[in-house]
Amino acid sequence: MVQPGTWQVKSKLIDLTIPGVPSFFVRMARGKTKVERKQILAGQGIEALLAPDPKAQCRIESQTVANGRYTQTLTCPQKKGMPMRIVRVGSYDTTGFVGQAIVTGSAPKGALRIVLDQRAIRAGA
């Protein structure tokens, strides 16, 4: 179980490969962090922190959460083209999780790949 309250899931862009995107844009994007806030209720576990944002309409294809480790595979629809696939792996404890997410899919000019470092921390009651 994790402590109830407000949590932040931070995703930091480590690497980005999108054919046709100028290299200066890739360099500017690298290192940027996106923060998602989640409200965790009493009795909820790490799975609640790993749950995808409902607005993204992602579907969990597989998930294993056991013995301090997690793996998760998501499929997320796109407005155009094939769905994106996200594979997440990492470790967790009662203070949150730390891991990596690799996003793969296709862009108009070829295959794309995004690597994110992710961390969940409690932000308050």
Side-chain angles (χ1 to χ4, degrees), residues 21-77:
V21 172
S23 59
F24 77 88
F25 178 80
V26 172
R27 284 192 303 274
M28 283 180 13
R30 199 172 281 135
K32 297 279 189 237
T33 301
K34 177 185 177 256
V35 178
E36 180 185 352
R37 291 186 165 281
K38 294 194 176 219
Q39 199 63 38
I40 302 301
L41 304 174
Q44 288 185 302
I46 202 76
E47 295 85 354
L49 290 173
L50 291 170
D53 183 343
K55 288 179 257 160
Q57 297 179 340
C58 295
R59 192 178 89 240
I60 297 173
E61 287 191 348
S62 66
Q63 178 171 289
T64 304
V65 178
N67 303 318
R69 305 282 309 156
Y70 69 87
T71 60
Q72 182 185 59
T73 302
L74 304 167
T75 302
C76 303

Side-chain angles (χ1 to χ4, degrees), residues 17-19 76 78-85 103-114:
T17 305
I18 303 177
C76 303
Q78 300 303 300
K79 288 182 181 144
K80 293 182 180 178
M82 298 297 291
M84 299 275 223
R85 181 177 172 91
V103 181
T104 55
S106 59
K109 295 188 178 183
L112 70 80
R113 184 172 189 269
I114 303 166

Side-chain angles (χ1 to χ4, degrees), residues 93-104:
D93 60 22
T94 57
T95 64
F97 72 77
V98 62
Q100 193 169 72
I102 298 175
V103 181
T104 55

